[in-house]
Amino acid sequence: MVEFQDVSVTYNSSGVDALNKINLKINDGDFAFVVGPSGAGKSTLIKLVLKEIDATSGTVLVNGFNLKKLRRGKVPALRRTIGVVFQDFRLIPTMTVYENVAFVLRVIDAPAKYIRSRVPYVISLVGLSDKAKCYPTELSGGEQQRVALARALVNDPQLIIADEPTGNIDPALSYEIVELLKSINECGTTILMVTHEHDLVRYFGGRIININKGNVDFDEVVGGVQNES
Amino acid sequence: MVEFQDVSVTYNSSGVDALNKINLKINDGDFAFVVGPSGAGKSTLIKLVLKEIDATSGTVLVNGFNLKKLRRGKVPALRRTIGVVFQDFRLIPTMTVYENVAFVLRVIDAPAKYIRSRVPYVISLVGLSDKAKCYPTELSGGEQQRVALARALVNDPQLIIADEPTGNIDPALSYEIVELLKSINECGTTILMVTHEHDLVRYFGGRIININKGNVDFDEVVGGVQNES
Amino acid sequence: MKASSLRYLVHQGVTGIWKNRMMTFASFCILLVSLLMVGLASLTAINLTRIISGIEDKSEVVVVISDNATKENEKELEKHLKAIPNVHTISLYTKEEAWEGMLDSMTEEERAFFKYADENPLPDTYRLTVKDIEIMSDTTAQIETLDFVESTQSPTSFADVLISIRRIFSIIAVAVVSALVVVSLVIISNTTRASVFARRKEINIMKYVGATNAFIRIPFFVEGMIVGLVAAIGALLMTKFAYEGVYNIFSDDSVIWVIMGMKKLYSFKELLFPVSISYLAAGAVIGAVGTSISTGKHLKV
Amino acid sequence: MKASSLRYLVHQGVTGIWKNRMMTFASFCILLVSLLMVGLASLTAINLTRIISGIEDKSEVVVVISDNATKENEKELEKHLKAIPNVHTISLYTKEEAWEGMLDSMTEEERAFFKYADENPLPDTYRLTVKDIEIMSDTTAQIETLDFVESTQSPTSFADVLISIRRIFSIIAVAVVSALVVVSLVIISNTTRASVFARRKEINIMKYVGATNAFIRIPFFVEGMIVGLVAAIGALLMTKFAYEGVYNIFSDDSVIWVIMGMKKLYSFKELLFPVSISYLAAGAVIGAVGTSISTGKHLKV
Ligand SMILES: Nc1ncnc2c1ncn2[C@@H]1O[C@H](COP(=O)(O)OP(=O)(O)OP(=O)(O)O)[C@@H](O)[C@H]1O
Ligand SMILES: Nc1ncnc2c1ncn2[C@@H]1O[C@H](COP(=O)(O)OP(=O)(O)OP(=O)(O)O)[C@@H](O)[C@H]1O
Ligand SMILES: [Mg+2]
Ligand SMILES: [Mg+2]
């Protein structure tokens, strides 16, 4: 569960008000699309959830943690409940695809045996089995994005946040990726996906949150084309 | 003018055949969309044009340079005729937006006076006048992408190559960006744009090159929705 | 933490050495040079102390005994001299011995004269060595108050020289060693900070997927420790080489040693154990702590 | 290249110092330490050479003149001695002077005897200093073949000692200085390589927009040169401080100098000009070349 109560964010360095008194509640098991123009504050919203930045004012609750009161030492515990696909991928260039995915499990001290079976499975889910031994620089943009997605999925988190997970992927694959996220959502994982691709949103429907200039403009459940047919 | 004659590329490290005997000719003044699934070889095509990599076999001609025979010392001369938007932006993190754009002109030894007038103009074209003093890390994904575009435009190159220039930008802005590229094209600049957004391609029409598994599948001029209305 | 995880982290540290070979090599060089220089400076200081204490042992106070002293008076005097705390050794040098010694030290021409001397004009003397050369003048003053002491001759000027030399050497040695220690720390912390800086993205990403600080630090720690140990071994070998080179030079030119009246240098074998232990400990600690401390800054994400 | 572009590149270099302050500081430290150590070692070597040549000047060969030589014979002999290439200075020491000197150097008791000597048994002598102490034994052999030379006395054992000392000092000095030079180069090239490595993306991007290699190198070059110059100034100040400290210690204890028969050390003022020039040149060259050479690797894009 993610809840924003009157949350504002102002970046000191540029003086930009990225979010203005946002109120938003995403329940466990929701699937929400976050849309909005460039610079609206979508990535800022995600940074808040990860406690990468702190809210200038207001309260952020994530998976039972009150982020304002969360001590430094507890941040890893919070982050282990969340899987993230970053807009700029953030893969570790010195690790292979396999290692990039596996080390998330090593971080949570998973048994070696589990790692050996889980990682190849997740990599196959995103269709990269034959690239498992490549380094990120040897992959195309779309392939890197899928590695980032595999990394977000691998430790079966309560909440998956994806910032433009289909930004570098061709349409056919984009649909497959959202289908994948949908099926994960059906097993109870909350999913928050930032996207610019209105086609995708129109097709799948569901909860759509539109952010504009730091405000929530629109927040409703919309039927998708997919379900009509 | 860009011409590929029987060009193949095989990456040694992964053994992937990224391009197979491609033949392609893009004339001066063309506007071409390059589409195709993830990992098809689109970015590889661009790397060839920039002489970032060399073709395993075949001939690549760019703006009158035969890239196979081009000596190291002449590579800067080639690159100065090309403006590029990279899929991963490649902004210099230690420079402000203004400096990131301006240094392209400094590289070609442009007069200081010209730099002072040209750079703000180009930054205003991509709508970032109020962010000129920000550093790349202080920008949203879409804003970074627009800085990359401004950098590609600034020295008025013969050829602009854009790899997913709208990947992180909301639809409304995407249309504006392509309009901008179109108007630049009308002044005689050749433009090669890689994109996954079929909506854009459908709307604007023009020459569409579809690459699939290292081969050119489709290469035709298609009428756009824009022109019909 | 599971054994398998620990094994993984240690393995990461080991492979990190090769992955970051450039940085690692820089750290290695700096550690090696620092250890080597501080080590050689310390060894020099240790040997200088030994040489100086050797010279100290040889600087004697001559106590001239009155002509009218009997054997009993001399015995009495010896007891009193022994009671003085700063007196180390004491030996009687009779007028006959003194005469022989004097003849020995003369040139042929000079000796020719003394052949005709009918009486030995030299007095009996006690020759003392002192424990602390720096308070020698107090000691001689005390001795001169005793009965049957005609006069004392102490190598005051020579003692002054020795004291000055020791003072200069200790100032220089302390200055050199402490400068090197400070400099090494600055350089090492800078290099490791640079190494961590080059990997800050990696650290950053790890933090984002919920890695604890320990998880991130252990590989750096292992890496730093290994580099430190290897540098220590390298420094040890080079120290051995340099030390034995110098040692052999000094051993060959025995003339110097005789004239300077110095004890022999310590052989490297005598020093091997403490030197090895110090090098390895210093290398491992500086490497490990230096590397892992500098990760701290980037862990605050 | 336009003046404005050059100004821009120089400015980039200057601001680069602050932007990369961490790396810059590391380079600065290493350069400073290297210059300081090589500089101090060289100054020590220079002074040792002066001291040794001072001792050399004082080591005399005594040429004993036959009893039956007349004043004319002595003059003749002096001419022959002066003709020997290795002879530096020559002075006559008559038997009367020798007698005075001998009495002066004696203790009270010894002197008592000589009072009664009716004839001066000492011979006239020439005292020579030589140019090169190492071939002194050849020179004395040559002198002994001359007429009216009774015998020669040369301080052979003392000369041997001096020669040994000089040999040891020069070996140690050369070893220390060359080790430091090599080590500094390794460390500096590593640090600058690390600095360039941290900026490899930047360099890479510049290449993609058509920058020439010179364009990329100039800022690094300027940065390195400035850092080198600043390090040289720092090293110069520290050298002055350290040198004058040691200089004062030695000046105070004049006893040592008298006994060791050494010339005074060079004052820092005498050395200021060559030392400053060497420091600044070395700092600027090492800084600039070191930094710009290591950019080479990343320019191949
Ligand atoms: N670290 C930062 N420092 C200063 N300003 C920032 C920083 N990050 C973002 N901003 C500013 O805050 C605003 C919101 O940025 P944010 O990244 O949340 O946008 P976004 O909705 O993700 O946009 P996009 O779709 O382009 O990624 C932008 O105007 C941006 O310039
Ligand atoms: N440096 C490299 N070393 C090895 N293999 C590479 C390298 N770069 C790309 N490849 C491989 O070559 C193939 C083509 O890559 P390319 O980047 O050209 O794809 P793309 O069409 O740009 O895809 P996308 O739309 O996902 O960016 C991919 O399979 C990729 O894994
Ligand atoms: Mg964003
Ligand atoms: Mg691509």
Side-chain angles (χ1 to χ4, degrees), chain C residues 137-158:
Chain C
S137 52
D138 293 350
T139 309
T140 54
Q142 196 179 346
I143 290 171
E144 281 171 359
T145 63
L146 295 176
D147 288 340
F148 302 108
V149 171
E150 179 83 27
S151 67
T152 63
Q153 284 171 26
S154 60
T156 349
S157 66
F158 190 54

mmCIF file of all heavy atoms in Angstrom, chain C residues 137-158:
data_model
loop_
_atom_site.group_PDB
_atom_site.id
_atom_site.type_symbol
_atom_site.label_atom_id
_atom_site.label_comp_id
_atom_site.label_asym_id
_atom_site.label_seq_id
_atom_site.Cartn_x
_atom_site.Cartn_y
_atom_site.Cartn_z
ATOM 1 N N SER C 137 78.767 15.496 32.747
ATOM 2 C CA SER C 137 79.470 16.589 33.439
ATOM 3 C C SER C 137 79.087 16.630 34.920
ATOM 4 O O SER C 137 79.941 16.887 35.780
ATOM 5 C CB SER C 137 79.183 17.919 32.755
ATOM 6 O OG SER C 137 77.806 18.100 32.613
ATOM 7 N N ASP C 138 77.827 16.331 35.247
ATOM 8 C CA ASP C 138 77.431 16.238 36.659
ATOM 9 C C ASP C 138 78.237 15.145 37.347
ATOM 10 O O ASP C 138 78.733 15.309 38.464
ATOM 11 C CB ASP C 138 75.935 15.869 36.791
ATOM 12 C CG ASP C 138 75.055 16.988 36.274
ATOM 13 O OD1 ASP C 138 75.587 18.087 36.014
ATOM 14 O OD2 ASP C 138 73.833 16.745 36.129
ATOM 15 N N THR C 139 78.347 14.038 36.657
ATOM 16 C CA THR C 139 79.039 12.889 37.242
ATOM 17 C C THR C 139 80.498 13.216 37.524
ATOM 18 O O THR C 139 81.017 12.910 38.606
ATOM 19 C CB THR C 139 78.946 11.695 36.264
ATOM 20 O OG1 THR C 139 77.576 11.522 35.902
ATOM 21 C CG2 THR C 139 79.476 10.427 36.891
ATOM 22 N N THR C 140 81.170 13.862 36.580
ATOM 23 C CA THR C 140 82.585 14.165 36.805
ATOM 24 C C THR C 140 82.752 15.160 37.950
ATOM 25 O O THR C 140 83.681 15.031 38.752
ATOM 26 C CB THR C 140 83.251 14.715 35.533
ATOM 27 O OG1 THR C 140 82.488 15.828 35.078
ATOM 28 C CG2 THR C 140 83.355 13.674 34.457
ATOM 29 N N ALA C 141 81.828 16.118 38.036
ATOM 30 C CA ALA C 141 81.893 17.085 39.135
ATOM 31 C C ALA C 141 81.832 16.350 40.469
ATOM 32 O O ALA C 141 82.602 16.628 41.411
ATOM 33 C CB ALA C 141 80.738 18.070 39.018
ATOM 34 N N GLN C 142 80.937 15.369 40.530
ATOM 35 C CA GLN C 142 80.766 14.575 41.751
ATOM 36 C C GLN C 142 82.042 13.800 42.070
ATOM 37 O O GLN C 142 82.485 13.735 43.207
ATOM 38 C CB GLN C 142 79.587 13.617 41.523
ATOM 39 C CG GLN C 142 79.021 13.001 42.787
ATOM 40 C CD GLN C 142 77.841 12.088 42.461
ATOM 41 O OE1 GLN C 142 77.305 12.131 41.360
ATOM 42 N NE2 GLN C 142 77.453 11.273 43.429
ATOM 43 N N ILE C 143 82.638 13.230 41.049
ATOM 44 C CA ILE C 143 83.847 12.426 41.241
ATOM 45 C C ILE C 143 84.994 13.284 41.783
ATOM 46 O O ILE C 143 85.745 12.857 42.666
ATOM 47 C CB ILE C 143 84.267 11.759 39.901
ATOM 48 C CG1 ILE C 143 83.252 10.672 39.532
ATOM 49 C CG2 ILE C 143 85.669 11.155 40.001
ATOM 50 C CD1 ILE C 143 83.439 10.098 38.148
ATOM 51 N N GLU C 144 85.086 14.508 41.290
ATOM 52 C CA GLU C 144 86.198 15.361 41.704
ATOM 53 C C GLU C 144 86.160 15.734 43.185
ATOM 54 O O GLU C 144 87.167 16.158 43.759
ATOM 55 C CB GLU C 144 86.259 16.621 40.817
ATOM 56 C CG GLU C 144 86.921 16.300 39.482
ATOM 57 C CD GLU C 144 86.837 17.421 38.470
ATOM 58 O OE1 GLU C 144 86.248 18.468 38.794
ATOM 59 O OE2 GLU C 144 87.349 17.215 37.356
ATOM 60 N N THR C 145 85.000 15.561 43.834
ATOM 61 C CA THR C 145 84.913 15.853 45.277
ATOM 62 C C THR C 145 85.454 14.698 46.114
ATOM 63 O O THR C 145 85.643 14.840 47.325
ATOM 64 C CB THR C 145 83.458 16.121 45.698
ATOM 65 O OG1 THR C 145 82.705 14.931 45.468
ATOM 66 C CG2 THR C 145 82.852 17.269 44.922
ATOM 67 N N LEU C 146 85.689 13.550 45.511
ATOM 68 C CA LEU C 146 86.125 12.368 46.274
ATOM 69 C C LEU C 146 87.603 12.497 46.697
ATOM 70 O O LEU C 146 88.371 13.200 46.036
ATOM 71 C CB LEU C 146 85.953 11.105 45.421
ATOM 72 C CG LEU C 146 84.515 10.730 45.037
ATOM 73 C CD1 LEU C 146 84.507 9.522 44.109
ATOM 74 C CD2 LEU C 146 83.671 10.454 46.282
ATOM 75 N N ASP C 147 87.993 11.817 47.757
ATOM 76 C CA ASP C 147 89.392 11.807 48.217
ATOM 77 C C ASP C 147 90.278 11.077 47.206
ATOM 78 O O ASP C 147 89.830 10.135 46.543
ATOM 79 C CB ASP C 147 89.496 11.073 49.563
ATOM 80 C CG ASP C 147 88.897 11.920 50.679
ATOM 81 O OD1 ASP C 147 88.768 13.163 50.475
ATOM 82 O OD2 ASP C 147 88.528 11.334 51.725
ATOM 83 N N PHE C 148 91.540 11.504 47.179
ATOM 84 C CA PHE C 148 92.562 10.897 46.326
ATOM 85 C C PHE C 148 92.273 11.005 44.837
ATOM 86 O O PHE C 148 92.859 10.290 44.040
ATOM 87 C CB PHE C 148 92.805 9.417 46.704
ATOM 88 C CG PHE C 148 93.232 9.268 48.138
ATOM 89 C CD1 PHE C 148 92.370 8.743 49.081
ATOM 90 C CD2 PHE C 148 94.515 9.692 48.527
ATOM 91 C CE1 PHE C 148 92.767 8.631 50.394
ATOM 92 C CE2 PHE C 148 94.900 9.579 49.851
ATOM 93 C CZ PHE C 148 94.038 9.051 50.811
ATOM 94 N N VAL C 149 91.356 11.868 44.480
ATOM 95 C CA VAL C 149 91.162 12.125 43.053
ATOM 96 C C VAL C 149 91.957 13.378 42.725
ATOM 97 O O VAL C 149 91.700 14.454 43.262
ATOM 98 C CB VAL C 149 89.675 12.320 42.707
ATOM 99 C CG1 VAL C 149 89.530 12.799 41.252
ATOM 100 C CG2 VAL C 149 88.913 11.019 42.903
ATOM 101 N N GLU C 150 92.974 13.233 41.878
ATOM 102 C CA GLU C 150 93.816 14.353 41.488
ATOM 103 C C GLU C 150 93.051 15.263 40.518
ATOM 104 O O GLU C 150 92.968 16.456 40.703
ATOM 105 C CB GLU C 150 95.077 13.792 40.797
ATOM 106 C CG GLU C 150 96.052 14.819 40.303
ATOM 107 C CD GLU C 150 96.994 15.323 41.382
ATOM 108 O OE1 GLU C 150 97.257 14.568 42.339
ATOM 109 O OE2 GLU C 150 97.453 16.488 41.276
ATOM 110 N N SER C 151 92.501 14.611 39.492
ATOM 111 C CA SER C 151 91.704 15.357 38.493
ATOM 112 C C SER C 151 90.905 14.333 37.692
ATOM 113 O O SER C 151 91.124 13.127 37.807
ATOM 114 C CB SER C 151 92.623 16.128 37.552
ATOM 115 O OG SER C 151 93.352 15.202 36.766
ATOM 116 N N THR C 152 89.969 14.805 36.898
ATOM 117 C CA THR C 152 89.287 13.892 35.961
ATOM 118 C C THR C 152 89.454 14.447 34.570
ATOM 119 O O THR C 152 89.559 15.664 34.377
ATOM 120 C CB THR C 152 87.774 13.769 36.249
ATOM 121 O OG1 THR C 152 87.185 15.049 36.060
ATOM 122 C CG2 THR C 152 87.498 13.266 37.645
ATOM 123 N N GLN C 153 89.549 13.533 33.641
ATOM 124 C CA GLN C 153 89.532 13.954 32.241
ATOM 125 C C GLN C 153 88.358 13.262 31.561
ATOM 126 O O GLN C 153 88.326 12.046 31.472
ATOM 127 C CB GLN C 153 90.824 13.544 31.532
ATOM 128 C CG GLN C 153 92.014 14.410 31.866
ATOM 129 C CD GLN C 153 93.290 13.826 31.313
ATOM 130 O OE1 GLN C 153 93.270 13.088 30.330
ATOM 131 N NE2 GLN C 153 94.400 14.142 31.952
ATOM 132 N N SER C 154 87.400 14.053 31.140
ATOM 133 C CA SER C 154 86.280 13.418 30.439
ATOM 134 C C SER C 154 86.274 13.941 29.015
ATOM 135 O O SER C 154 86.670 15.064 28.750
ATOM 136 C CB SER C 154 84.958 13.732 31.127
ATOM 137 O OG SER C 154 84.751 15.113 31.136
ATOM 138 N N PRO C 155 85.867 13.095 28.090
ATOM 139 C CA PRO C 155 85.852 13.516 26.681
ATOM 140 C C PRO C 155 84.673 14.447 26.443
ATOM 141 O O PRO C 155 83.786 14.141 25.654
ATOM 142 C CB PRO C 155 85.712 12.200 25.929
ATOM 143 C CG PRO C 155 84.960 11.312 26.873
ATOM 144 C CD PRO C 155 85.251 11.785 28.268
ATOM 145 N N THR C 156 84.656 15.578 27.173
ATOM 146 C CA THR C 156 83.473 16.438 27.135
ATOM 147 C C THR C 156 83.126 16.864 25.718
ATOM 148 O O THR C 156 81.976 16.822 25.307
ATOM 149 C CB THR C 156 83.691 17.706 27.978
ATOM 150 O OG1 THR C 156 84.871 17.539 28.739
ATOM 151 C CG2 THR C 156 82.508 17.960 28.872
ATOM 152 N N SER C 157 84.167 17.267 24.978
ATOM 153 C CA SER C 157 83.840 17.765 23.642
ATOM 154 C C SER C 157 83.301 16.630 22.778
ATOM 155 O O SER C 157 82.333 16.789 22.045
ATOM 156 C CB SER C 157 85.071 18.384 23.000
ATOM 157 O OG SER C 157 86.033 17.391 22.771
ATOM 158 N N PHE C 158 83.907 15.436 22.942
ATOM 159 C CA PHE C 158 83.436 14.301 22.156
ATOM 160 C C PHE C 158 82.014 13.915 22.572
ATOM 161 O O PHE C 158 81.162 13.620 21.739
ATOM 162 C CB PHE C 158 84.400 13.120 22.326
ATOM 163 C CG PHE C 158 84.123 11.993 21.381
ATOM 164 C CD1 PHE C 158 84.049 12.227 20.012
ATOM 165 C CD2 PHE C 158 83.936 10.702 21.846
ATOM 166 C CE1 PHE C 158 83.801 11.188 19.136
ATOM 167 C CE2 PHE C 158 83.682 9.663 20.965
ATOM 168 C CZ PHE C 158 83.614 9.914 19.609
#
